[in-house]
Amino acid sequence: MLELLVRHAPSAAYDALVDEARRIGATPDELSELARARELALNVRDLMHSQQRREAGLNALVETARDLTLPYTLDALLKVITRRARALLHVDMSYISFPSEAADGDYYVHTADGQTTALTEGMTIPGSAGLSVDVQRNFAPFWSPDYLADDSIKHSEVIDDVVRAEGLHAILAVPLRHGDSHFGVLYCADRKIRHFTPDEIALLTSLADLAAVAIEKSRALNRVQAEVAELEVDISGTKSRLADGARLHDAVVAMTDLVLTGGDLAGLARLAGQALGGTVLVRGTDGRTLAAHGEPPAELDEEGLTRAALDAHHSRHTVSTADGCRVAAVTAGAEDLGTLVLCPGPTGQTGDSERHLLEHAARTAGVLQLMVRSTSVAESQFRDAFFDDLLTTPPEKYEQLQERARRLSIDLDRPHVVVVARPEGGSQGRALVWASSYTYRTGGLKSIRDGVIALLLPGDDAARAAQAVSDALSPLLERPVTVGAAGPFTGLEPVRPALQEALRCLDALAALDCHGTTASARELGFLGVLLGDARDVSGFVADAIGPVLDYDAQRFTQLVQTLEAYFDAGSSPTHAADNLHVHPNTVSRRLERITELLGPEWQKPARALEIQLALRLQRVRGTLRAPGQEG
């Protein structure tokens, strides 16, 4: 069977092997065992084929992501998307529809690929019928293996006539999403009855998400070009300021060239600062400076900048602060991407032309950030898939995961912590978007497990990481978020136990009725064992006195016995020595070794309580353990 797997033999070869064994007189037990081996081999082969198809789809998706970063016009971009959709799913036809401005609620076909004659670009599609109804209502993919025969769909004569004329059967529709809304639908259709698999639906959904970012980028580029045209008209009409107008015009052209040639925010800040004669800061939504040109004032009025940023995003115009800085909003549609701040220098001017240029620079910054985001979406999906596999792969296959981690630049030799967050009510959509952004900024990974957001983050303080997640997520959702954490640790093996430990923290917080709070496994101590749904006594004992147990097991010493005698004697080394029938110096030396193993704070009240509880649990487990049982 293994040789057949290596040769990629067809299914008939496995059946022939069983038939051959039956022919030469194998016993029923041998035939049963061989049939079981055949079943397992075919399962392995199917899994291998499934993995190969998944990897091929993801590779094609990465190539698509790279392709979509090229500077297309909107029409050319949509043609690329429909061609890619057909190629990814191997379907006969694909098309994209957008909401119609002429008829509220209806859609029109903007671009199609693979159609014959019935489906024409510009054709109106009723929004009250077809798959688009469910896509709009549920904001999720919908499909039918045989559209005309599917009674669960609300049919329309217009749509049915097109489906019939094109000879279509299977149709899959996914939303083109942006933020918390969608602005169109991507369709794939086949001229035969077909049941789309979950992998195919996920693949087209990922393509749609990439396409949505690229479409927004293209629209933003169109707006930039329109602004270029407006500024060119304004500058050409200002005869008295010809020289200054030429300078601003050159700056606009240079910013456009920067976008088209793949420049970055630092280059944009430099161009804007030189043209406007001052210090330019590109700031993120959290107030961090992403790029800068020039020296900012010694003390920025952060409170004033925050108020100005809110006003700029609300009005979509430049807002001035009390200390003379000017703030323009960096946006992508309705999404807030940060601000562009100008602190004018001694020779800087603050007229209308400069204001237009600053706002143009802010829009260009939004385009650049969208372009960066479009190329990072696929990488983020690969990193999150690695985290999911890390939580489900058996330890004997970790060597393969090590290689994947190296390719994805994930360094688990550095200290990491696991943080789990459970929003208390409401939709998880905004929380998931935040988690993607947060892990991108911090170099972490995310996974969604049973309604809980799990984050694998670089760091050596689990409690601080949990508080940081709570501080960032709770205001965004406007509701409490319960957060548990565990760590730090290094390597692949501790990740899964750390996740279970962090989840136990959540269970303990729920049992304590402390919803909306944070805690790490170390902070909860034995309360996590008492209150968690999964009472991991072994894990608690190992955390509390594991090094002492290991030391005794390896060197045949009596440190555990000494600890018990020490606490039984009221923390008196002299009385402990009497109970152990040893010299007090022997007890002192053993206590020094225990301090080396458990750390200098093991005798503080809270830690000492946990150690005494762990000693009692270990003693009870040893008493109740069956004869001959180890561990």
Side-chain angles (χ1 to χ4, degrees):
M1 293 297 176
L2 291 174
E3 289 174 351
L4 292 177
L5 280 174
V6 171
R7 296 203 306 267
H8 301 284
S11 300
Y14 297 83
D15 297 332
L17 189 60
V18 178
D19 293 339
E20 176 64 15
R22 186 180 293 110
R23 186 184 65 78
I24 63 177
T27 66
D29 288 342
E30 290 171 334
L31 288 175
S32 175
E33 185 176 358
L34 190 58
R36 175 59 177 162
R38 169 189 169 279
E39 179 184 356
L40 292 174
L42 290 176
N43 288 342
V44 170
R45 189 192 65 168
D46 291 341
L47 287 173
M48 291 167 59
H49 290 172
S50 175
Q51 182 66 20
Q52 289 169 355
R53 287 194 300 270
R54 182 182 179 191
E55 290 180 357
L58 289 175
N59 288 334
L61 196 61
V62 172
E63 292 298 324
T64 301
R66 293 172 180 166
D67 201 7
L68 295 182
T69 60
L70 298 176
Y72 296 106
T73 64
L74 181 60
D75 289 344
L77 174 65
L78 294 176
K79 291 185 181 298
V80 170
I81 294 169
T82 51
R83 282 200 305 271
R84 284 288 189 175
R86 284 189 64 195
L88 279 175
L89 266 65
H90 305 289
V91 293
D92 296 318
M93 193 171 78
S94 63
Y95 57 100
I96 292 175
S97 67
F98 290 141
S100 173
E101 296 180 359
D104 187 26
D106 289 346
Y107 284 72
Y108 74 97
V109 177
H110 188 286
T111 305
D113 189 77
Q115 80 277 21
T116 54
T117 56
L119 187 72
T120 59
E121 295 181 358
M123 171 185 173
T124 299
I125 300 176
S128 58
L131 295 178
S132 63
V133 175
D134 290 322
V135 171
Q136 294 177 72
R137 182 185 301 120
N138 298 289
F139 203 52
F142 276 86
W143 64 280
S144 173
D146 193 359
Y147 183 89
L148 293 177
D150 195 337
D151 294 331
S152 66
I153 299 173
K154 184 177 181 181
H155 288 267
S156 160
E157 289 186 4
V158 174
I159 300 176
D160 288 1
D161 288 344
V162 172
V163 172
R164 196 175 293 110
E166 288 284 354
L168 302 177
H169 284 280
I171 302 179
L172 168 60
V174 299
L176 294 169
R177 298 175 289 197
H178 177 66
D180 293 331
S181 62
H182 78 280
F183 58 89
V185 182
L186 172 61
Y187 295 88
C188 278
D190 220 329
R191 293 190 172 94
K192 60 180 179 295
I193 296 175
R194 172 175 175 179
H195 292 270
F196 292 101
T197 67
D199 283 345
E200 290 173 332
I201 296 172
L203 195 61
L204 189 64
T205 301
S206 297
L207 173 62
D209 290 341
L210 289 171
V213 174
I215 291 170
E216 283 297 313
K217 180 191 74 173
S218 180
R219 288 175 169 174
L221 279 172
N222 289 340
R223 289 194 294 269
V224 169
Q225 292 170 350
E227 289 294 331
V228 171
E230 288 182 17
L231 285 173
E232 287 178 342
V233 170
D234 290 342
I235 293 172
S236 64
T238 310
K239 300 297 184 180
S240 62
R241 301 180 58 190
L242 183 60
D244 190 51
R247 175 177 59 84
L248 297 178
H249 175 270
D250 290 344
V252 170
V253 172
M255 291 178 192
T256 304
D257 289 341
L258 182 75
V259 172
L260 298 178
T261 56
D264 55 15
L265 292 175
L268 175 65
R270 183 181 67 257
L271 288 175
Q274 292 171 349
L276 295 170
T279 295
V280 171
L281 308 176
V282 184
R283 291 160 62 95
T285 55
D286 57 357
R288 292 186 303 113
T289 298
L290 306 178
H293 171 76
E295 289 294 330
E299 293 186 4
L300 281 173
D301 181 8
E302 292 292 344
E303 186 175 339
L305 288 176
T306 300
R307 288 195 301 269
L310 293 174
D311 292 341
H313 281 284
H314 176 72
S315 65
R316 289 294 191 268
H317 293 298
T318 299
V319 175
S320 298
T321 64
D323 55 2
C325 292
R326 309 191 76 179
V327 179
V330 177
T331 60
E335 184 179 0
D336 174 11
L337 298 179
T339 54
L340 197 71
V341 179
L342 168 66
C343 301
T347 60
Q349 302 180 23
T350 56
D352 287 342
S353 296
E354 286 75 20
R355 177 176 58 81
H356 284 304
L357 181 59
L358 182 63
E359 292 174 354
H360 174 76
R363 284 187 286 272
T364 305
V367 173
L368 289 173
Q369 293 196 57
L370 281 178
M371 294 175 68
V372 171
R373 182 188 299 175
S374 66
T375 57
S376 66
V377 168
E379 180 184 357
S380 175
Q381 291 176 339
F382 280 119
R383 290 171 64 87
D384 292 344
F386 169 82
F387 189 21
D388 287 330
D389 291 343
L390 179 57
L391 296 175
T392 56
T393 300
E396 57 267 21
K397 296 186 178 180
Y398 276 176
E399 185 174 347
Q400 301 174 9
L401 292 179
Q402 289 279 15
E403 177 60 22
R404 285 178 59 189
R406 186 190 63 78
R407 292 199 304 267
L408 293 171
S409 300
I410 299 171
D411 183 10
L412 285 175
D413 290 332
R414 296 169 50 200
H416 279 69
V417 298
V418 170
V419 178
V420 292
R422 180 190 292 132
E424 301 298 335
S427 171
Q428 285 192 337
R430 297 180 71 185
L432 296 181
V433 173
W434 170 87
S436 297
S437 175
Y438 190 76
T439 52
Y440 175 75
R441 294 196 309 268
T442 59
L445 309 175
K446 79 171 189 306
S447 179
I448 309 302
R449 314 190 71 80
D450 299 326
V452 175
I453 300 172
L455 307 176
L456 177 63
L457 303 172
D460 55 9
D461 189 326
R464 187 166 61 233
Q467 190 61 53
V469 168
S470 176
D471 292 344
L473 186 54
S474 295
L476 175 69
L477 302 181
E478 298 180 347
R479 62 177 55 89
V481 177
T482 307
V483 183
F489 54 84
T490 58
L492 299 179
E493 292 82 357
V495 174
R496 194 182 308 175
L499 173 65
Q500 297 304 320
E501 198 171 355
L503 290 173
R504 285 195 296 272
C505 286
L506 280 186
D507 295 336
L509 291 174
L512 290 169
D513 197 20
C514 292
H515 301 286
T517 60
T518 69
S520 68
R522 179 162 294 179
E523 288 174 314
L524 283 180
F526 69 89
L527 288 177
V529 178
L530 296 177
L531 301 177
D533 287 345
R535 295 178 172 85
D536 184 10
V537 173
S538 296
F540 172 73
V541 171
D543 286 342
I545 60 172
V548 176
L549 293 173
D550 294 341
Y551 192 91
D552 275 356
Q554 294 168 6
R555 293 171 173 79
F556 304 102
T557 53
Q558 296 179 334
L559 297 186
V560 171
Q561 183 182 2
T562 302
L563 263 179
E564 291 176 333
Y566 177 71
F567 284 121
D568 289 343
S571 300
S572 169
T574 303
H575 292 164
D578 292 339
N579 294 336
L580 292 171
H581 306 293
V582 297
H583 195 276
N585 289 343
T586 301
V587 172
S588 297
R589 286 195 298 271
R590 291 178 182 177
L591 293 177
E592 290 174 0
R593 179 65 66 185
I594 291 170
T595 300
E596 293 176 4
L597 295 172
L598 299 183
E601 297 184 353
W602 70 272
Q603 297 190 67
K604 289 191 175 181
R607 185 76 186 282
L609 176 60
E610 293 185 0
I611 292 173
Q612 291 179 70
L613 178 59
L615 289 169
R616 183 63 57 86
L617 290 172
Q618 180 68 7
R619 185 189 308 161
V620 171
R621 291 201 307 171
T623 302
L624 299 179
R625 188 171 292 124
Q629 183 179 353
E630 297 181 356

